[in-house]
């Protein structure tokens, strides 16, 4: 099940974010070639582990969540499901989700 609170947190704590399913199909290529191209552009997405990457390449399904931070940096997550991507976001930003910093 998709974590709706995670999407709300992303909306409130990022400049913007994108969710994409099978972006490799836009350029009519394979997932492996799409990922290689992203690496060449220095936009390689993070996978939870090598098994998740293999599942994408072998299963022909790729989900991506890209986050633009307030300082202009981008962070890209990828996985075989949207839930997998959102779990990675939670793992990376988890402490910020539960402990807001007072200004």
């Amino acid at each position: 099940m998709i974590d709706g609170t995670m999407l709300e947190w992303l909306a409130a704590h990022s400049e913007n974010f994108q969710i994409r399913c099978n972006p490799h199909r836009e350029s009519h290529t394979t997932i492996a070639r799409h990922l290689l191209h992203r690496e060449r552009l220095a936009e390689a997405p993070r996978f939870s582990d090598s098994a998740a990457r293999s599942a994408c390449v072998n299963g022909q399904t790729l989900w991506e969540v890209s986050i633009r931070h307030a300082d202009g940096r981008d962070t890209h997550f990828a996985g075989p499901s949207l839930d997998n991507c959102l779990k990675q976001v939670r793992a990376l930003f988890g402490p910020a989700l539960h402990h807001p910093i007072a200004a």
Side-chain angles (χ1 to χ4, degrees):
M1 174 171 262
I2 302 303
D3 182 357
T5 59
M6 176 91 293
L7 296 176
E8 290 177 22
W9 184 89
L10 280 172
H13 294 90
S14 66
E15 288 297 305
N16 63 51
F17 68 94
Q18 293 181 340
I19 298 173
R20 299 173 69 199
C21 181
N22 294 324
H24 63 287
R25 292 182 182 168
E26 292 174 11
S27 55
H28 306 287
T29 189
T30 65
I31 290 174
R33 287 185 179 171
H34 171 78
L35 294 173
L36 181 60
H37 177 70
R38 296 285 301 275
E39 288 171 11
R40 288 180 182 147
L41 296 174
E43 296 178 356
R46 301 176 183 199
F47 285 87
S48 57
D49 55 30
S50 60
R53 183 184 181 104
S54 293
C56 290
V57 172
N58 296 330
Q60 289 300 308
T61 300
L62 176 65
W63 283 86
E64 294 183 359
V65 174
S66 297
I67 302 167
R68 168 70 48 102
H69 303 276
D71 63 4
R73 291 178 302 116
D74 292 320
T75 304
H76 308 283
F77 300 92
S81 69
L82 178 55
D83 190 48
N84 178 273
C85 293
L86 293 177
K87 284 180 182 176
Q88 292 180 72
V89 173
R90 180 173 291 283
L92 184 64
F93 299 111
L97 292 173
H98 302 293
H99 302 289
I101 298 173

